[in-house]
Amino acid sequence: MSVHLIGGGATTTADAALHAPFVAEAVRRAHDAGRVRPRIAVISLHPEAVEKAAALGELLTEAAAGADVELHLTAGRPDRSIGLDAIADVDGIAVGGGNVETVRAGLEPLFDQMRRLVADGVPYLGVSAGAMIAAEGSLGSGSRIGGVVVSPEDPDEPGDELEIEAGIGLVDVTVEVHTAQRGMLSRLVAAVESGLISGGLGIDERTTLIVGDGVLRVEGAGNVWRVAPAENGVLVSTIFTA
């Protein structure tokens, strides 16, 4: 099974196609296990978690194209970690966006179990912050490295230092999101050039990076940007859409 990472922005029914490969894998996983109805965990730790979990669930239902899918919605709270029951006996795990530090902290107690489930064939879908925490090393929300601004920030509210925290570890390269739309490619470049990370992939909005069996596939409206160290700096390239 695969890890599906969406760079954000895919919030309308017109974007259901980006979620369809994930749902299809969850359906296959359920059928292989002898279940008629796939059960998908939908988790949000957004400030509007109840509404965001429901909205992501609606997109997954639309992406199912008539298949009977059972959704298990979990709306997290900043002061409480998500419990193991949120991902118990599921055929797919979908994690939405929000503040990346909050999303990571809320799910950290589940990281080991999530890795085991994905290794056992359960597909993972991460949207925005949910995509960022899928990496071994998860970018925070900081906009400065060594005090130098490396991505857009509000001049009246100076940003924090960019820090790297342990993510779930479903992919072995750091993930950036909202890349073209929010000017985040510069942050990814600076993070690699400074040695803060060894390389990264930046996913545009309304774009999905699918990682499975060593193969990378890109679908959607934008690009995935690959940033790698080079002899005299960094090398930036794109993984083109399918």
Side-chain angles (χ1 to χ4, degrees):
M1 292 298 175
S2 305
V3 176
H4 304 249
L5 306 176
I6 298 178
T11 58
T12 70
T13 55
D15 301 304
L18 292 178
H19 302 74
F22 163 76
V23 175
E25 288 195 15
V27 170
R28 288 197 300 272
R29 205 265 182 182
H31 287 175
D32 291 344
R35 287 188 291 274
V36 176
R37 297 182 66 202
R39 188 170 189 253
I40 298 177
V42 181
I43 303 171
S44 175
L45 290 109
H46 191 276
E48 300 172 357
V50 173
E51 295 83 354
K52 295 296 185 180
L56 180 53
E58 289 175 4
L59 277 172
L60 297 177
T61 299
E62 182 75 16
D68 189 8
V69 176
E70 177 185 350
L71 300 177
H72 183 196
L73 306 184
T74 300
R77 289 169 40 180
D79 59 344
R80 183 180 302 172
S81 297
I82 302 296
L84 279 170
D85 59 320
I87 57 172
D89 194 26
V90 297
D91 301 295
I93 301 170
V95 177
N99 174 273
V100 65
E101 286 89 357
T102 300
V103 175
R104 181 194 169 279
L107 286 171
E108 185 176 14
L110 304 186
F111 283 0
D112 287 345
Q113 180 63 7
M114 293 173 87
R115 281 194 296 272
R116 283 192 287 267
L117 287 171
V118 173
D120 193 41
V122 174
Y124 175 89
L125 171 70
V127 182
S128 188
M132 294 173 72
I133 67 166
E136 287 184 358
S138 173
L139 292 170
S141 58
S143 57
R144 299 184 176 209
I145 297 177
V148 178
V149 176
V150 296
S151 61
E153 62 179 6
D154 186 338
D156 297 324
E157 297 183 12
D160 297 326
E161 280 287 308
L162 177 61
E163 296 183 352
I164 309 298
E165 300 286 351
I168 306 172
L170 304 179
V171 294
D172 60 4
V173 65
T174 302
V175 175
E176 182 65 276
V177 294
H178 304 285
T179 306
Q181 291 74 21
R182 298 188 184 178
M184 304 307 289
L185 182 58
S186 60
R187 187 173 80 153
L188 193 58
V189 167
V192 174
E193 194 276 335
S194 69
L196 192 60
I197 60 176
S198 60
L201 296 173
I203 309 172
D204 287 346
E205 291 182 1
R206 302 185 71 189
T207 305
T208 304
L209 172 66
I210 303 174
V211 184
D213 297 326
V215 177
L216 300 180
R217 190 166 96 245
V218 179
E219 297 184 357
N223 284 308
V224 172
W225 305 81
R226 180 189 283 121
V227 180
E231 184 176 353
N232 296 311
V234 299
L235 175 65
V236 178
S237 58
T238 55
I239 305 171
F240 292 104
T241 53

